[in-house]
């Protein structure tokens, strides 16, 4: 199977690594060419303008679900014209009292070519199938909700 990697680089900007006195902003590089600034979530002192790990999990799930949905829709002959999702990660504590992403919610909106439509039941079934086959969904233990916008 594929070995897919990213690079993360962090550099200390303080004289020492002391609790609460060091920066968490870092660089995440995809495919050795696309850089993204990462940081902690704002609630944990991170930069609101940087991507945080919790958003990255939501982005990974949303992207994987979309690509799986599109593959299934193409096989079914559904002429998808556009796909938009607002994915949300929710932080909370696990049963063991550990902080974690406890819930991920996708709210995909799918638009078709003019003159094509599917029932809400068909859309729900297709999203259920996409969720079942999504590699990322199969890798995450958080509660996941797929709530298509029709």
């Amino acid at each position: 199977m594929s070995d897919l990697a990213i690079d993360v680089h962090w550099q200390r900007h303080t004289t020492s690594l002391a609790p609460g006195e060091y920066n968490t902003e870092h660089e995440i590089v995809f495919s050795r060419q696309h850089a993204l600034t990462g940081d902690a979530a704002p609630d944990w002192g991170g930069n609101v303008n940087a991507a945080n790990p919790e958003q990255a999990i939501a982005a990974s799930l949303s992207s994987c679900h979309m690509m799986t949905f599109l593959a299934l829709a193409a096989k079914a002959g559904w002429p998808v014209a556009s796909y938009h999702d607002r994915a949300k990660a929710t932080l909370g504590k696990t049963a063991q009292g550990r902080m974690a992403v406890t819930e991920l919610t996708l709210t995909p909106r799918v638009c078709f070519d003019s003159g094509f439509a599917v029932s809400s039941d068909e859309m729900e079934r297709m999203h259920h199938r996409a969720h079942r086959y999504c590699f990322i969904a199969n890798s995450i233990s958080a509660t996941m909700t797929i709530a298509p916008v029709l």
Side-chain angles (χ1 to χ4, degrees), residues 65-77 126 130:
H65 182 89
M66 179 204 68
M67 289 185 285
T68 307
F69 179 91
L70 292 175
L72 294 170
K75 285 183 181 180
M126 187 65 84

Side-chain angles (χ1 to χ4, degrees), residues 96-129:
Q96 297 79 26
R98 297 182 192 142
M99 286 299 295
V101 172
T102 55
E103 185 174 350
L104 291 155
T105 303
L106 305 182
T107 53
R109 180 185 302 268
V110 178
C111 293
F112 298 105
D113 288 350
S114 182
F116 185 86
V118 297
S119 70
S120 59
D121 285 346
E122 289 172 306
M123 184 65 78
E124 291 279 343
R125 279 194 302 277
M126 187 65 84
H127 277 292
H128 178 75
R129 287 183 64 215

Side-chain angles (χ1 to χ4, degrees), residues 82-100:
S82 66
Y83 183 108
H84 175 82
D85 187 16
R86 179 151 180 91
K88 178 181 164 188
T90 302
L91 288 173
K93 289 196 176 185
T94 65
Q96 297 79 26
R98 297 182 192 142
M99 286 299 295

